[in-house]
Amino acid sequence: MGNELHKQLVAHAKVIYAAEDIIASARLKELYECSELLRRTRVRAEDIVLDARLMLAEAERHGDIERIVALSASVDQARAFYDKVLNAYVTLCCRIREESKALLDSTDLSGAA
């Protein structure tokens, strides 16, 4: 009787581990999809910063004070947005690394059970 109960508990534990792995894998997939979107957004934000800097440099070459002032503000705004996107991207990449490690660790543990 005790042996049967032990077998049922082990089987139940394996089902729980499998379910946890499925959930963790799905979460990891969602994080990877988010990171891809943020990566594309980061690249686009970087392009915007570069374009704004080029326009500012052109205004400076022509000595157009009004455009210099306006474009300086635009460069600052674009750079601030880029910094936010970059921080979000780096944070998400760190989170993916942590969750991947946790998933691998839990897989190693469930494989040992």
Side-chain angles (χ1 to χ4, degrees):
M1 183 76 164
N3 193 22
E4 185 62 32
L5 179 60
H6 181 272
K7 287 179 183 177
Q8 287 177 351
L9 289 174
V10 168
H12 184 68
K14 286 182 179 181
V15 169
I16 290 173
Y17 284 131
E20 288 174 346
D21 285 348
I22 291 168
I23 291 168
S25 294
R27 170 109 173 109
L28 198 54
K29 181 182 178 200
E30 289 175 349
L31 289 174
Y32 275 116
E33 289 169 358
C34 288
S35 74
E36 179 57 27
L37 178 62
L38 270 175
R39 185 195 64 76
R40 288 192 308 264
T41 304
R42 180 190 55 80
V43 168
R44 181 64 186 126
E46 186 176 336
D47 290 343
I48 291 169
V49 170
L50 292 174
D51 290 345
R53 285 183 178 162
L54 288 172
M55 289 189 300
L56 176 59
E58 181 183 329
E60 288 171 342
R61 275 193 305 274
H62 289 101
D64 188 341
I65 302 300
E66 286 181 30
R67 282 189 67 219
I68 291 171
V69 171
L71 290 170
S72 292
S74 293
V75 168
D76 292 342
Q77 185 180 21
R79 182 65 190 172
F81 177 73
Y82 174 78
D83 288 346
K84 287 180 183 180
V85 172
L86 182 60
N87 286 335
Y89 180 71
V90 169
T91 300
L92 187 58
C93 288
C94 290
R95 181 67 185 202
I96 289 171
R97 186 173 54 244
E98 291 167 5
E99 292 209 16
S100 293
K101 184 181 180 320
L103 182 60
L104 288 174
D105 290 347
S106 73
T107 302
D108 290 344
L109 291 176
S110 66

PDB file of all heavy atoms in Angstrom, residues 64-77:
ATOM      1  N   ASP A  64      21.904  77.972 -39.401  1.00  0.00           N
ATOM      2  CA  ASP A  64      20.472  78.232 -39.210  1.00  0.00           C
ATOM      3  C   ASP A  64      20.125  78.058 -37.729  1.00  0.00           C
ATOM      4  O   ASP A  64      19.848  76.953 -37.257  1.00  0.00           O
ATOM      5  CB  ASP A  64      19.664  77.269 -40.085  1.00  0.00           C
ATOM      6  CG  ASP A  64      18.185  77.597 -40.108  1.00  0.00           C
ATOM      7  OD1 ASP A  64      17.707  78.310 -39.199  1.00  0.00           O
ATOM      8  OD2 ASP A  64      17.505  77.111 -41.028  1.00  0.00           O
ATOM      9  N   ILE A  65      20.149  79.188 -37.015  1.00  0.00           N
ATOM     10  CA  ILE A  65      19.976  79.179 -35.555  1.00  0.00           C
ATOM     11  C   ILE A  65      18.632  78.578 -35.139  1.00  0.00           C
ATOM     12  O   ILE A  65      18.577  77.769 -34.202  1.00  0.00           O
ATOM     13  CB  ILE A  65      20.124  80.607 -34.977  1.00  0.00           C
ATOM     14  CG1 ILE A  65      21.499  81.195 -35.325  1.00  0.00           C
ATOM     15  CG2 ILE A  65      19.902  80.609 -33.476  1.00  0.00           C
ATOM     16  CD1 ILE A  65      22.655  80.390 -34.792  1.00  0.00           C
ATOM     17  N   GLU A  66      17.552  78.951 -35.813  1.00  0.00           N
ATOM     18  CA  GLU A  66      16.228  78.433 -35.438  1.00  0.00           C
ATOM     19  C   GLU A  66      16.181  76.915 -35.569  1.00  0.00           C
ATOM     20  O   GLU A  66      15.666  76.222 -34.693  1.00  0.00           O
ATOM     21  CB  GLU A  66      15.139  79.070 -36.302  1.00  0.00           C
ATOM     22  CG  GLU A  66      14.837  80.512 -35.947  1.00  0.00           C
ATOM     23  CD  GLU A  66      13.725  81.087 -36.807  1.00  0.00           C
ATOM     24  OE1 GLU A  66      12.837  80.314 -37.239  1.00  0.00           O
ATOM     25  OE2 GLU A  66      13.748  82.301 -37.043  1.00  0.00           O
ATOM     26  N   ARG A  67      16.701  76.424 -36.683  1.00  0.00           N
ATOM     27  CA  ARG A  67      16.712  74.955 -36.877  1.00  0.00           C
ATOM     28  C   ARG A  67      17.649  74.280 -35.890  1.00  0.00           C
ATOM     29  O   ARG A  67      17.356  73.174 -35.418  1.00  0.00           O
ATOM     30  CB  ARG A  67      17.138  74.614 -38.307  1.00  0.00           C
ATOM     31  CG  ARG A  67      16.001  74.825 -39.298  1.00  0.00           C
ATOM     32  CD  ARG A  67      16.311  74.293 -40.689  1.00  0.00           C
ATOM     33  NE  ARG A  67      16.419  72.831 -40.695  1.00  0.00           N
ATOM     34  CZ  ARG A  67      17.319  72.151 -41.397  1.00  0.00           C
ATOM     35  NH1 ARG A  67      18.201  72.782 -42.160  1.00  0.00           N
ATOM     36  NH2 ARG A  67      17.349  70.834 -41.370  1.00  0.00           N
ATOM     37  N   ILE A  68      18.755  74.930 -35.561  1.00  0.00           N
ATOM     38  CA  ILE A  68      19.697  74.356 -34.601  1.00  0.00           C
ATOM     39  C   ILE A  68      19.010  74.160 -33.250  1.00  0.00           C
ATOM     40  O   ILE A  68      19.106  73.095 -32.637  1.00  0.00           O
ATOM     41  CB  ILE A  68      20.965  75.227 -34.451  1.00  0.00           C
ATOM     42  CG1 ILE A  68      21.793  75.164 -35.726  1.00  0.00           C
ATOM     43  CG2 ILE A  68      21.793  74.784 -33.240  1.00  0.00           C
ATOM     44  CD1 ILE A  68      22.951  76.144 -35.774  1.00  0.00           C
ATOM     45  N   VAL A  69      18.288  75.177 -32.814  1.00  0.00           N
ATOM     46  CA  VAL A  69      17.590  75.094 -31.528  1.00  0.00           C
ATOM     47  C   VAL A  69      16.523  73.990 -31.568  1.00  0.00           C
ATOM     48  O   VAL A  69      16.441  73.138 -30.672  1.00  0.00           O
ATOM     49  CB  VAL A  69      16.968  76.459 -31.154  1.00  0.00           C
ATOM     50  CG1 VAL A  69      16.063  76.332 -29.940  1.00  0.00           C
ATOM     51  CG2 VAL A  69      18.059  77.493 -30.912  1.00  0.00           C
ATOM     52  N   ALA A  70      15.727  73.997 -32.622  1.00  0.00           N
ATOM     53  CA  ALA A  70      14.653  73.001 -32.740  1.00  0.00           C
ATOM     54  C   ALA A  70      15.217  71.587 -32.856  1.00  0.00           C
ATOM     55  O   ALA A  70      14.728  70.647 -32.208  1.00  0.00           O
ATOM     56  CB  ALA A  70      13.761  73.333 -33.929  1.00  0.00           C
ATOM     57  N   LEU A  71      16.243  71.450 -33.689  1.00  0.00           N
ATOM     58  CA  LEU A  71      16.803  70.115 -33.897  1.00  0.00           C
ATOM     59  C   LEU A  71      17.597  69.627 -32.686  1.00  0.00           C
ATOM     60  O   LEU A  71      17.645  68.417 -32.426  1.00  0.00           O
ATOM     61  CB  LEU A  71      17.660  70.088 -35.159  1.00  0.00           C
ATOM     62  CG  LEU A  71      16.863  70.204 -36.460  1.00  0.00           C
ATOM     63  CD1 LEU A  71      17.796  70.412 -37.653  1.00  0.00           C
ATOM     64  CD2 LEU A  71      15.993  68.970 -36.665  1.00  0.00           C
ATOM     65  N   SER A  72      18.177  70.537 -31.937  1.00  0.00           N
ATOM     66  CA  SER A  72      18.862  70.137 -30.694  1.00  0.00           C
ATOM     67  C   SER A  72      17.865  69.506 -29.736  1.00  0.00           C
ATOM     68  O   SER A  72      18.140  68.472 -29.113  1.00  0.00           O
ATOM     69  CB  SER A  72      19.534  71.341 -30.026  1.00  0.00           C
ATOM     70  OG  SER A  72      20.606  71.793 -30.797  1.00  0.00           O
ATOM     71  N   ALA A  73      16.696  70.123 -29.630  1.00  0.00           N
ATOM     72  CA  ALA A  73      15.645  69.565 -28.775  1.00  0.00           C
ATOM     73  C   ALA A  73      15.182  68.203 -29.314  1.00  0.00           C
ATOM     74  O   ALA A  73      14.949  67.265 -28.536  1.00  0.00           O
ATOM     75  CB  ALA A  73      14.471  70.528 -28.673  1.00  0.00           C
ATOM     76  N   SER A  74      15.090  68.089 -30.630  1.00  0.00           N
ATOM     77  CA  SER A  74      14.679  66.815 -31.240  1.00  0.00           C
ATOM     78  C   SER A  74      15.709  65.720 -30.993  1.00  0.00           C
ATOM     79  O   SER A  74      15.346  64.573 -30.712  1.00  0.00           O
ATOM     80  CB  SER A  74      14.458  66.987 -32.740  1.00  0.00           C
ATOM     81  OG  SER A  74      13.364  67.820 -32.988  1.00  0.00           O
ATOM     82  N   VAL A  75      16.984  66.066 -31.095  1.00  0.00           N
ATOM     83  CA  VAL A  75      18.042  65.088 -30.833  1.00  0.00           C
ATOM     84  C   VAL A  75      17.962  64.621 -29.380  1.00  0.00           C
ATOM     85  O   VAL A  75      18.049  63.421 -29.096  1.00  0.00           O
ATOM     86  CB  VAL A  75      19.440  65.661 -31.155  1.00  0.00           C
ATOM     87  CG1 VAL A  75      20.544  64.770 -30.604  1.00  0.00           C
ATOM     88  CG2 VAL A  75      19.612  65.851 -32.647  1.00  0.00           C
ATOM     89  N   ASP A  76      17.782  65.576 -28.464  1.00  0.00           N
ATOM     90  CA  ASP A  76      17.666  65.220 -27.046  1.00  0.00           C
ATOM     91  C   ASP A  76      16.472  64.302 -26.785  1.00  0.00           C
ATOM     92  O   ASP A  76      16.576  63.314 -26.056  1.00  0.00           O
ATOM     93  CB  ASP A  76      17.553  66.473 -26.174  1.00  0.00           C
ATOM     94  CG  ASP A  76      18.839  67.299 -26.151  1.00  0.00           C
ATOM     95  OD1 ASP A  76      19.907  66.749 -26.513  1.00  0.00           O
ATOM     96  OD2 ASP A  76      18.758  68.481 -25.775  1.00  0.00           O
ATOM     97  N   GLN A  77      15.352  64.628 -27.408  1.00  0.00           N
ATOM     98  CA  GLN A  77      14.140  63.821 -27.236  1.00  0.00           C
ATOM     99  C   GLN A  77      14.336  62.415 -27.843  1.00  0.00           C
ATOM    100  O   GLN A  77      13.968  61.417 -27.232  1.00  0.00           O
ATOM    101  CB  GLN A  77      12.959  64.522 -27.890  1.00  0.00           C
ATOM    102  CG  GLN A  77      11.637  63.834 -27.675  1.00  0.00           C
ATOM    103  CD  GLN A  77      10.502  64.585 -28.347  1.00  0.00           C
ATOM    104  OE1 GLN A  77      10.715  65.373 -29.269  1.00  0.00           O
ATOM    105  NE2 GLN A  77       9.291  64.339 -27.887  1.00  0.00           N
TER     106      GLN A  77
END
